[in-house]
Amino acid sequence: MLAGSSLPASGSRYSGSSFGPRTSSSTITGTASYANQGRARTAQRNQGRLCVYADHTSGRLLGAELCAPDGEHLAHLLALAVQQQLTVHDLLGMPFYHPTLEEGLRTALRDAARQLPNARTSDLAACPALGVPALD
């Protein structure tokens, strides 16, 4: 948010409740940086960060905060996911086309999925890093 304003800064969007730094054991945070995200790099707009918040037990998406290129598209998708009470795994089961900025969401969801008690291997969340920043 901009200081003294009720409007978010340009490029900043949020969905669900604002969580800020979380210390609760009932909430997990998945993050993604846009510094090495392929589509953002190609467009020379590779700045920003995305955080998704999910319930530790169920994996249900609780909200998200982001400042990323074309963030309004991700905010719309995330608001729908929160409203529909989708889980991290529900979202990872949906297609993420390449190359798109939405792949940053997949990265954050995979980070969150690795923290869930019953991580599934079908969505690649449990796979080790490849050692190539643009692909991890």
Side-chain angles (χ1 to χ4, degrees):
M1 302 289 267
L2 294 173
S5 169
S6 61
L7 298 175
S10 178
S12 299
R13 303 291 184 261
Y14 54 90
S15 178
S17 299
S18 178
F19 288 88
R22 298 296 286 177
T23 58
S24 171
S25 62
S26 65
T27 304
I28 58 169
T29 303
T31 62
S33 168
Y34 277 80
N36 279 321
Q37 201 269 347
R39 184 63 172 202
R41 287 177 57 200
T42 301
Q44 297 182 351
R45 299 187 311 161
N46 54 318
Q47 297 179 1
R49 183 174 182 87
L50 168 62
C51 297
V52 294
Y53 304 104
D55 179 78
H56 183 268
T57 305
S58 67
R60 185 173 59 88
L61 192 67
L62 300 173
E65 295 178 313
L66 64 133
C67 181
D70 297 332
E72 67 275 13
H73 302 291
L74 288 172
H76 179 262
L77 176 64
L78 288 162
L80 180 62
V82 169
Q83 191 268 334
Q84 293 294 313
Q85 299 185 5
L86 299 179
T87 67
V88 168
H89 292 298
D90 291 338
L91 289 165
L92 282 170
M94 297 178 181
F96 286 88
Y97 302 106
H98 174 76
T100 63
L101 293 167
E102 287 77 10
E103 288 178 291
L105 173 57
R106 182 184 59 198
T107 301
L109 290 168
R110 284 180 177 167
D111 184 41
R114 282 190 281 276
Q115 300 170 58
L116 291 172
N118 297 315
R120 299 179 190 166
T121 56
S122 63
D123 58 33
L124 304 177
C127 293
L130 297 173
V132 179
L135 299 176
D136 289 334

